[in-house]
Amino acid sequence: MNFTVPIAQLAPVADALCVAASAPAIVAGQAMTHVELEAATREYKVRKSCSGLAAGEVRSAKLRKVAIEKMVAEAAYPQAEAPAWAMPLLQLPAQLQQVTSQLAAISHNSFARSVNSFATTTHPLVVLQKEISGGENAIGQTPVPDGTVFPATLSAIDGMTAANINSLQSWYNLPVHTFAGANIQQRRQKVRTWISGRI
């Protein structure tokens, strides 16, 4: 087992006894033996017993010793892989975070649609957040508000092409049927309803 990161030697101090007990530097890739930890422990104990040293000089020796102890312990007792039955429990925090983000996006979109429902044809729309996971964009994100993905106004919807609507659907990872229609007018109306709740 080897050290994976270097650990520098501590800066020298004025006390001659402490200088004599100075532990050597450790380089990355160096073989891990009992010598390194013993030297760091001895250095800390000597500095702790020396009078006249600043608290920071003693603390730095302690931190160096603790760092080496941690590396030695991790090498001697590598973290065991969790049993299969525990894997769902380990995934819960990430799942809860996703649900929380999704609920926040749904709440935002409910408010946004309420505001958009009162918008005039030229009034700027409140951009909806992504609610559905999957695709390139994270839940809670919004497109760049330049009108290229999300229409800037209700009147802008009337100018959306099939490609524009497909891009909007793809960005939000919406089901295929969301903006389905027999013609472009029907598809635009579904976009309008999705954004503002207007039928």
Side-chain angles (χ1 to χ4, degrees):
M1 295 175 287
N2 301 328
F3 286 96
T4 56
V5 295
I7 300 179
Q9 187 176 32
L10 295 179
V13 293
D15 191 288
L17 183 61
C18 290
V19 172
S22 181
I26 296 173
V27 298
Q30 177 178 328
M32 190 179 292
T33 68
H34 64 90
V35 174
E36 295 81 22
L37 180 56
E38 289 177 357
T41 302
R42 181 174 60 254
E43 180 178 44
Y44 166 59
K45 288 182 177 179
V46 171
R47 284 199 177 197
K48 190 177 179 181
S49 65
C50 289
S51 59
L53 291 188
E57 293 174 322
V58 178
R59 189 184 308 113
S60 61
K62 180 179 181 180
L63 292 175
R64 188 177 189 277
K65 177 183 78 75
V66 170
I68 295 174
E69 281 178 338
K70 185 174 184 295
M71 292 184 188
V72 171
E74 289 177 349
Y77 303 98
Q79 185 175 4
E81 186 174 341
W85 62 264
M87 294 308 294
L89 297 178
L90 297 177
Q91 295 167 358
L92 275 179
Q95 293 171 351
L96 290 173
Q97 178 60 46
Q98 178 173 313
V99 170
T100 301
S101 299
Q102 195 168 26
L103 290 174
I106 291 171
S107 176
H108 166 87
N109 290 348
S110 178
F111 170 77
R113 288 188 176 100
S114 178
V115 174
N116 291 340
S117 68
F118 292 98
T120 63
T121 55
T122 58
H123 191 276
L125 295 171
V126 179
V127 181
L128 302 187
Q129 294 181 358
K130 183 179 176 183
E131 297 178 3
I132 303 173
S133 62
E136 298 180 0
N137 309 295
I139 292 175
Q141 283 189 329
T142 57
V144 177
D146 58 3
T148 57
V149 176
F150 194 94
T153 62
L154 289 175
S155 62
I157 296 175
D158 295 329
M160 293 183 74
T161 64
N164 295 147
I165 296 174
N166 291 341
S167 294
L168 180 67
Q169 180 175 296
S170 175
W171 199 99
Y172 284 90
N173 196 36
L174 299 171
V176 176
H177 61 78
T178 305
F179 302 137
N183 52 55
I184 191 64
Q185 285 76 22
Q186 289 183 3
R187 298 192 70 193
R188 288 170 180 165
Q189 182 55 49
K190 288 194 173 183
V191 171
R192 185 176 289 103
T193 300
W194 178 73
I195 288 175
S196 67
R198 292 184 184 178
I199 300 176

